Amino acid sequence: MNTQILLLSGGLLAAIALAYIGLAGPSPAKESARRLQGVRYRHSENTLDKVESQLKKAIAARKPRVHRVAGSGSRTEALALRLHRSGKPWTISQYVYASIGLALAVAVLVYLKTGAALLSLGIGVMVGAGIPHLVVGWFIGKRLKAFNAKFPDAIELLVRGLRSGLPVTETLGVVASEVPGPVGEEFRAITDRIRLGLSMEEALQETADRLGTPEFQFFCITLAIQRETGGNLAETLSNLADVLRKRLQMRLKIRAMSSEAKASAYIVGALPFVVFGLVWWSNGKYLEPFFTDERLIVAGLGGLVWMGIGIFVMAKMVSFEI
């Protein structure tokens, strides 16, 4: 019985790993397209291509320090960074307690239903580790969407302030007080860091490291290049706001065109697991052979593997990058 439970748990983990690879893995075709685009930028005589190539090189050279430390130095710092990006006042201890409590609750419920200790513990650990991570990721995505939606308006407000004669630091304070939502919060943090003695570039880069969004990196690079080379900052920021609006429109267009395919993928991928769980919960004896009969265990593991492959393929079909 223990061997069968271990086989079932291994199949579940394999399916989850395949699904994760499908959702997060890099695409060779996209990498090849990026290389071809880089070759075009290096050998093109077009002024716009040369400027964009210089901008991409500057962005690649400015690695986010906070993300690099959090990813390589400490998992605690990485978790703290994720919680900060969610915009919620959650602490690491609250996150850990919530994960442990959820894992214990699910494990107890499954154990009371099945009596299988190892299976209950495995399901509890997966649910306790997975659901809080997904919830935090959902809040991060929601906050970034709200930030990117209002960020072009904030840049336009900066442009109007600069054209009226205000210095850059004063216009940052105007954006912090006038623009609501995540944009105002981040710009207030920037102005606070400047008041504490940091330079404007350092304060902006710290916010860019914490946000981890390309749009704000573009903004930081634009200000840095303008401070080094000179020029009309208001006109440069106005062009940047227009580019960000077009980028957002393209992203919304792609989301609308792929929404039907994504909905179908979610339904097809989740339906077998939902039906299996409901039937198992309402009539456990009907599905009991799946945990005792070796042939059904092998068939179930094979089904999980094929479901993982299907989720992998569907995720690649509906995944687009801008």
Side-chain angles (χ1 to χ4, degrees):
M1 183 64 181
N2 292 334
T3 304
Q4 297 166 356
I5 293 174
L6 290 175
L7 287 174
L8 182 60
S9 301
L12 287 172
L13 291 175
I16 293 171
L18 287 173
Y20 177 79
I21 293 172
L23 293 173
S27 173
K30 293 175 182 176
E31 291 296 330
S32 177
R34 290 193 186 99
R35 294 191 188 99
L36 291 175
Q37 190 178 28
V39 172
R40 179 175 67 86
Y41 284 142
R42 286 196 297 270
H43 299 283
S44 176
E45 296 297 330
N46 191 349
T47 304
L48 294 177
D49 288 342
K50 291 182 178 179
V51 171
E52 188 170 355
S53 177
Q54 293 176 357
L55 184 61
K56 287 180 179 293
K57 290 179 181 178
I59 292 173
R62 294 164 66 89
K63 299 291 185 180
R65 296 184 303 274
V66 175
H67 179 73
R68 187 164 61 243
V69 172
S72 60
S74 172
R75 293 184 179 272
T76 303
E77 293 180 0
L79 179 57
L81 181 61
R82 279 179 55 83
L83 295 177
H84 172 79
R85 287 177 177 175
S86 68
K88 301 295 180 180
W90 296 332
T91 62
I92 296 178
S93 59
Q94 291 175 341
Y95 180 88
V96 172
Y97 291 151
S99 300
I100 294 175
L102 183 60
L104 290 176
V106 172
V108 169
L109 290 176
V110 176
Y111 180 76
L112 293 177
K113 185 65 179 178
T114 62
L118 291 177
L119 178 64
S120 304
L121 182 61
I123 294 176
V125 169
M126 286 190 293
V127 172
I131 290 182
H133 183 82
L134 293 177
V135 169
V136 173
W138 183 80
F139 277 108
I140 291 174
K142 181 180 178 181
R143 188 169 186 267
L144 287 180
K145 289 177 183 177
F147 182 90
N148 293 332
K150 290 290 185 181
F151 190 48
D153 297 334
I155 295 178
E156 289 291 347
L157 185 57
L158 279 172
V159 171
R160 290 194 292 270
L162 292 172
R163 287 175 177 172
S164 66
L166 293 175
V168 179
T169 54
E170 292 293 332
T171 55
L172 293 176
V174 172
V175 173
S177 59
E178 295 294 333
V179 180
V183 176
E185 295 174 2
E186 296 298 338
F187 273 85
R188 278 193 293 272
I190 292 170
T191 55
D192 291 340
R193 295 189 190 103
I194 293 174
R195 292 193 187 100
L196 291 175
L198 290 179
S199 66
M200 186 182 68
E201 185 176 359
E202 291 175 345
L204 289 171
Q205 188 58 43
E206 185 173 347
T207 299
D209 294 343
R210 289 186 173 275
L211 280 176
T213 177
E215 285 78 4
F216 199 84
Q217 284 283 4
F218 294 157
F219 176 67
C220 295
I221 294 298
T222 301
L223 289 180
I225 291 176
Q226 193 276 336
R227 287 169 67 90
E228 294 175 1
T229 61
N232 191 344
L233 179 59
E235 186 66 24
T236 304
L237 291 178
S238 180
N239 294 333
L240 176 63
D242 184 61
V243 170
L244 294 182
R245 282 199 176 92
K246 290 180 180 179
R247 179 184 173 92
L248 181 60
Q249 290 173 1
M250 180 61 68
R251 184 176 295 165
L252 294 175
K253 184 177 180 180
I254 291 175
R255 185 184 304 169
M257 294 176 65
S258 62
S259 59
E260 184 177 356
K262 287 184 178 180
S264 301
Y266 293 151
I267 294 171
V268 172
L271 190 60
F273 300 101
V274 172
V275 172
F276 185 89
L278 291 176
V279 174
W280 178 43
W281 191 261
S282 61
N283 189 7
K285 293 183 179 179
Y286 180 76
L287 296 178
E288 187 176 353
F290 275 96
F291 303 97
T292 58
D293 193 336
E294 293 182 358
R295 294 172 297 176
L296 290 178
I297 291 175
V298 173
L301 293 176
L304 288 175
V305 172
W306 281 109
M307 283 298 301
I309 295 174
I311 292 173
F312 173 82
V313 173
M314 289 187 292
K316 288 298 181 182
M317 291 175 64
V318 299
S319 177
F320 301 94
E321 293 182 6
I322 301 176

